[in-house]
Amino acid sequence: MTTFEAPTHAAPIDDRVIRPIPEFEGVHDIWPRGKRLDAVRAAAQAYRERFIAQGQVRAIKSFDIAAAPYPQRFAFQGYSVGPNPMISIINRMFVIQFEGFDGELKTLVWEPTVAAGSAEAPFYAKLESMAGKFLSHKVFTKYYNDPQSVLPQCGLTNDDVDFLSFDHLHVQDVRMILGSTSVIPGESAPRKPLFPNAELLVHRKELGTFEAPHPLQWSWYVEGGMDGVPMDRVRVFDGDVELGVGVSLLWTPGHTDGNHSLVVNTPDGVWVSSENGMAADSWQPELSRIPGVRRQAEFYNREVVLNANTMEDSLDQYDSMVKEKTMASPSPKDPRWLQIIASSECASWKRQWPVVPTFSHGGLDYGTIERAR
């Protein structure tokens, strides 16, 4: 049983570290829902102009961490048609460097998923017990990089990281990342932090879910995954925030109450990353060649297709995906496609054909990661 108690209020905003984004203030409270969508879209258009004018991040690089099994019916809201009920999704980790509001170089690690922790989430634990270890770990799963080894590839150490964040805390055991004063069951000593000097940036509502998940949320959160985590290393925020030049975290509720999306400005324009969708097709179904996706979206007159493993608020998630695609720039590789890169993307593996992305951006690689002086 969890012993974690979530804060009832976010920490006071510190303009030297993070700043609120006034363009989005109040838009998620507008009623009726059709007018809320209009307001979210308009606010994103207004903020996009100011965001771009502020400048670009110094560098950003992405790294594939692991591929994991995922039900096809969740990935594209039940629209996709394919013979395999399970697909695989590839988790990505991003290393971003930018100028903070104090003028100093900052390093943010986005989505440092520890696979061993994810395996303890009830959904994956039950899936392994049903499918067996061979299917779970050999067929659907593939390991690329360990979050602990990524920073040395960039010429950094894990001590150099200032901030950590996830779009939400599904299948995350935060103890394995921030450390814990309590012992994880099956281990002999408290975990040491993976990134010793970093703060975890997390939305207040996401922590509240960790404390007391609803039955419809339960299967995706690691039981006790926040127990013993040092809360002085957790920076809790509400709403939408800016971290520095060219990088923001936009509140995108719906998939979870506290979901937020990474937004960065680069030489190729604005990129957005989240798990609201599973592929570029999710945000632009009109271009999709995945059987069923374009046809179903046209039938229901919908401009996005949700990643639907949780339906906490599908209307909010729809609005959030519109918010994301309004912020994103067209891709120079193919201007028909917007620069939205799923933090967990449907794999392009032959065994799950024809449920493979119509278009994939690949990884992100801009600038040079460097040590802060």
Side-chain angles (χ1 to χ4, degrees):
M1 182 176 180
T2 182
T3 59
F4 169 70
E5 291 186 7
T8 56
H9 299 285
I13 287 290
D14 184 346
D15 281 357
R16 296 168 298 177
V17 181
I18 61 175
R19 295 176 179 175
I21 301 174
E23 285 86 348
F24 294 109
E25 187 174 351
V27 296
H28 292 284
D29 299 323
I30 291 174
W31 184 266
R33 294 306 299 263
K35 291 184 177 179
R36 183 183 303 181
L37 173 58
D38 293 340
V40 168
R41 195 191 309 268
Q45 290 170 340
Y47 176 58
R48 186 178 189 276
E49 294 181 11
R50 184 169 69 84
F51 177 69
I52 292 174
Q54 290 177 343
Q56 301 171 4
V57 294
R58 300 275 189 90
I60 178 170
K61 297 186 185 299
S62 63
F63 298 84
D64 291 345
I65 298 299
Y70 199 69
Q72 181 198 149
R73 71 181 187 276
F74 291 162
F76 298 100
Q77 205 174 332
Y79 291 0
S80 59
V81 178
N84 196 332
M86 299 294 291
I87 63 171
S88 289
I89 58 174
I90 299 175
N91 306 127
R92 285 192 176 97
M93 171 175 153
F94 297 85
V95 180
I96 306 109
Q97 287 195 321
F98 58 95
E99 181 183 323
F101 293 123
D102 58 2
E104 299 294 327
L105 181 68
K106 306 293 183 184
T107 300
L108 164 69
V109 171
W110 175 256
E111 299 285 337
T113 298
V114 176
S118 299
E120 297 305 314
F123 173 81
Y124 283 112
K126 287 178 176 289
L127 185 65
E128 180 179 308
S129 68
M130 294 171 61
K133 289 189 176 182
F134 178 78
L135 281 176
S136 299
H137 293 280
K138 300 297 184 181
V139 177
F140 293 108
T141 303
K142 184 177 181 180
Y143 300 99
Y144 300 96
N145 288 287
D146 187 323
Q148 186 166 346
S149 65
V150 166
L151 272 295
Q153 297 179 44
C154 302
L156 302 178
T157 71
N158 287 3
D159 293 357
D160 296 319
V161 177
D162 298 289
F163 303 112
L164 308 167
S165 196
F166 298 87
D167 50 5
H168 59 288
L169 295 175
H170 278 176
V171 305
Q172 301 300 335
D173 191 331
V174 182
R175 297 170 298 185
M176 295 187 177
I177 300 160
L178 286 188
S180 175
T181 58
S182 58
V183 178
I184 298 174
E187 300 188 0
S188 59
R191 277 272 180 151
K192 294 182 178 180
L194 194 59
F195 301 95
N197 301 319
E199 288 186 317
L200 177 69
L201 305 174
V202 61
H203 197 282
R204 176 177 56 85
K205 290 189 175 181
E206 195 68 12
L207 285 187
T209 302
F210 233 120
E211 178 187 359
H214 185 278
L216 289 177
Q217 301 168 318
W218 168 81
S219 61
W220 298 99
Y221 286 91
V222 175
E223 174 70 21
M226 284 291 298
D227 290 355
V229 169
M231 289 304 294
D232 60 349
R233 301 268 312 286
V234 179
R235 186 177 292 268
V236 185
F237 65 89
D238 278 315
D240 308 79
V241 295
E242 296 178 322
L243 303 184
V245 177
V247 58
S248 296
L249 302 179
L250 300 189
W251 185 35
T252 49
H255 184 66
T256 71
D257 290 322
N259 200 84
H260 60 278
S261 305
L262 174 70
V263 181
V264 293
N265 190 21
T266 73
D268 285 332
V270 178
W271 283 91
V272 179
S273 179
S274 85
E275 204 180 90
N276 278 318
M278 284 280 111
D281 304 64
S282 305
W283 288 271
Q284 296 179 269
E286 72 278 5
L287 300 177
S288 180
R289 295 196 298 268
I290 298 174
V293 171
R294 178 177 59 81
R295 183 179 61 187
Q296 289 293 315
E298 287 178 348
F299 181 86
Y300 288 107
N301 192 31
R302 293 171 182 170
E303 62 178 292
V304 295
V305 174
L306 316 183
N307 170 23
N309 64 320
T310 59
M311 300 296 282
E312 294 192 20
D313 193 322
S314 56
L315 274 69
D316 269 344
Q317 187 174 350
Y318 188 103
D319 295 355
S320 293
M321 294 179 74
V322 169
K323 184 177 187 177
E324 292 168 336
K325 67 187 293 185
T326 303
M327 289 292 301
S329 297
S331 170
K333 295 180 181 178
D334 185 339
R336 295 177 304 163
W337 293 93
L338 296 170
Q339 292 186 152
I340 306 176
I341 184 167
S343 55
S344 295
E345 184 176 18
C346 174
S348 296
W349 294 356
K350 290 182 179 179
R351 68 158 180 79
Q352 61 192 52
W353 187 88
V355 183
V356 295
T358 304
F359 178 84
S360 181
H361 294 286
L364 271 60
D365 189 354
Y366 296 96
T368 301
I369 302 291
E370 60 185 50
R371 295 286 297 271
R373 297 181 179 177

